[in-house]
């Protein structure tokens, strides 16, 4: 398993990490993902560790803390062999103080996560969303205290916009607080919005991308094809409205290209989609999930090989969309390009 630095930090992480959203699943969304218990979770963790996947990602909001509890039970006795990543900030209830990233919420959420995970420290503690109601200085000060106390090794963010991330990083720099080292983002062949602003920011500021839903919210599993109905057993029947929307024509252009490349390479469609992501700039780790051993082992087949340049180009073309404002319409004009050379194009595809 290849390892990469997490952004500009010294932490090395595997290029594939495991998402524990299926652990202890309950409710309309997480229950549809899966309801893996501690025994099954331990078996999946065994397979991950054997393959070199050592980072496991969860969040307090996943099944109201049950995911953290099941993951904690699954890694019991081998904490020193894993990198634990969790998130907080989304609502855990309807009461005051049950959402956001205030000092009180962050310290309480960290203590709760430590208890549920059965550990004394969290390797990567991420803000699950930007909290516009709490001053950035308050958030960073609380994280600084958690780092100094040894309860958090590295802070990170998830689902921030460019200005939210940059404001936080600039404040951390000015005040001497720990800088975010990772940005957990949605990125896939059917969702490349990350590239317009967040990827150049990550290159400039040393933020490692930890990618969630790399298979486009379950659309790039090889079971969806142009001209065919959605398979009866697809979880998209229940979960599509919870995830990022995807235009049908874009989806079918991508699945057509994936099917062609699968035929030419002998690789499975999900393996190709994941391998494409691993060649993209700033990507430190791609989170894969699995309800079964078979799904996990198939995802493991995404590493150890590289797509040919012509296959990368075919996928790039199939998944391309017009740039949004302010990147369009000036991006193709020579004068604008001289003033604003793209840092993304200047970086080799395999760069982390």
């Amino acid at each position: 398993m290849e390892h990469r630095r997490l952004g500009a930090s010294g932490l090395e992480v595997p290029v594939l990490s495991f998402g524990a959203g299926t652990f202890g699943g309950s409710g309309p969304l997480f229950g549809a993902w899966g309801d893996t218990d501690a025994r099954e979770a331990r078996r999946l963790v065994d397979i991950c560790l054997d393959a070199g996947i050592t980072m496991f990602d969860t969040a307090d909001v996943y099944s109201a803390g049950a995911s953290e509890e099941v993951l904690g039970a699954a890694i019991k006795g081998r904490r020193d062999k894993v990198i634990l990543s969790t998130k907080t900030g989304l609502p855990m209830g309807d009461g005051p103080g049950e959402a956001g990233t205030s000092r009180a919420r962050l310290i309480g959420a960290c203590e709760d996560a430590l208890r549920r995970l059965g550990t004394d420290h969290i390797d990567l503690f991420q803000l699950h969303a930007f909290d516009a109601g709490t001053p950035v200085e308050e958030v960073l000060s609380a994280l600084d205290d958690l780092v100094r106390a040894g309860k958090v090794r590295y802070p990170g963010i998830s689902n921030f916009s460019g200005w939210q991330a940059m404001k936080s990083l600039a404040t951390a720099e000015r005040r001497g607080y720990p800088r975010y080292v990772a940005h957990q983002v949605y990125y896939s062949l059917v969702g490349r919005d990350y590239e317009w602003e967040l990827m150049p920011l990550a290159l400039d500021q040393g933020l490692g991308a930890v990618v969630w839903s790399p298979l486009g919210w379950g659309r790039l599993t090889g079971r969806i094809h142009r001209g065919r109905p959605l398979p009866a057993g697809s979880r998209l029947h229940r979960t599509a409205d919870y995830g990022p929307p995807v235009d049908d024509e874009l989806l079918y252009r991508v699945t057509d290209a994936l099917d062609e490349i699968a035929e030419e390479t002998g690789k499975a469609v999900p393996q190709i989609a994941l391998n494409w992501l691993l060649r993209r700039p700033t990507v430190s780790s791609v989170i894969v999930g699995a309800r079964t051993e078979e799904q996990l082992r198939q995802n493991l087949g995404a590493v150890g090989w590289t797509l040919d340049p012509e296959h990368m180009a075919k996928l790039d073309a199939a998944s391309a969309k017009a740039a949004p404002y302010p990147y369009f319409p000036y991006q193709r004009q020579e004068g604008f390009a001289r003033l604003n050379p793209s840092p993304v194009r200047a970086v080799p595809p395999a760069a982390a």
Side-chain angles (χ1 to χ4, degrees), residues 58-75 84 86-88 92 105 108-119 125:
T58 182
D60 56 6
V61 76
Y62 294 170
S63 302
S67 173
E68 289 181 330
E69 291 176 348
V70 172
L71 178 58
I75 64 166
L84 284 179
T86 193
K87 303 177 290 294
T88 192
M92 291 288 284
R105 176 79 196 287
C110 183
E111 296 290 353
D112 289 342
L114 292 171
R115 172 178 49 80
R116 287 191 288 256
L117 290 164
T119 185
F125 190 54

Side-chain angles (χ1 to χ4, degrees), residues 92-105:
M92 291 288 284
D94 296 328
E98 292 188 288
T101 55
S102 67
R103 169 176 286 275
R105 176 79 196 287

